[in-house]
Amino acid sequence: MELGQDKQQTITRLAICVVIAVMLYAALDKLGGGIPKLAPYKPWLEQNKVQAIAIAAAVLFGASLAAFPLEEPAAPPPAASEADPCAGFERACDLP
């Protein structure tokens, strides 16, 4: 299955956001005890690891789209029926 260039860029961006979210979760899991504002949420974070990573990835993905919007895809060339069949040619003479 071949994806379009714009879909492939979106999937790559999402994958990068998920990897960063996993790294953030791992860092907070190891070093989170020293952050007092995180203490009330620590039990929820430990019980809902997948949800926490998904939320962080979604926030990162939204922030990346806001900071670096995706490029608009190029317009496809006109269909053969819409193209001018005489483009590049000049009329030699007018017939009566």
Side-chain angles (χ1 to χ4, degrees):
M1 182 170 89
E2 188 174 318
L3 294 174
Q5 184 67 17
D6 56 332
K7 288 182 183 180
Q8 190 172 14
Q9 289 177 356
T10 303
I11 291 171
T12 302
R13 183 184 297 221
L14 182 59
I16 291 170
C17 290
V18 169
V19 169
I20 293 172
V22 168
M23 291 181 353
L24 282 173
Y25 184 86
L28 284 176
D29 194 32
K30 289 183 180 180
L31 307 172
I35 303 172
K37 292 193 177 204
L38 186 64
Y41 306 106
K42 190 121 172 112
W44 184 88
L45 290 171
E46 290 172 354
Q47 293 174 354
N48 301 297
K49 180 179 180 178
V50 174
Q51 290 88 344
I53 292 171
I55 291 169
V59 170
L60 288 170
F61 185 73
S64 74
L65 287 176
F68 308 104
L70 292 173
E71 296 176 3
E72 292 291 324
S81 62
E82 296 175 7
D84 183 14
C86 299
F89 293 98
E90 292 182 23
R91 190 173 200 146
C93 66
D94 289 332
L95 297 174

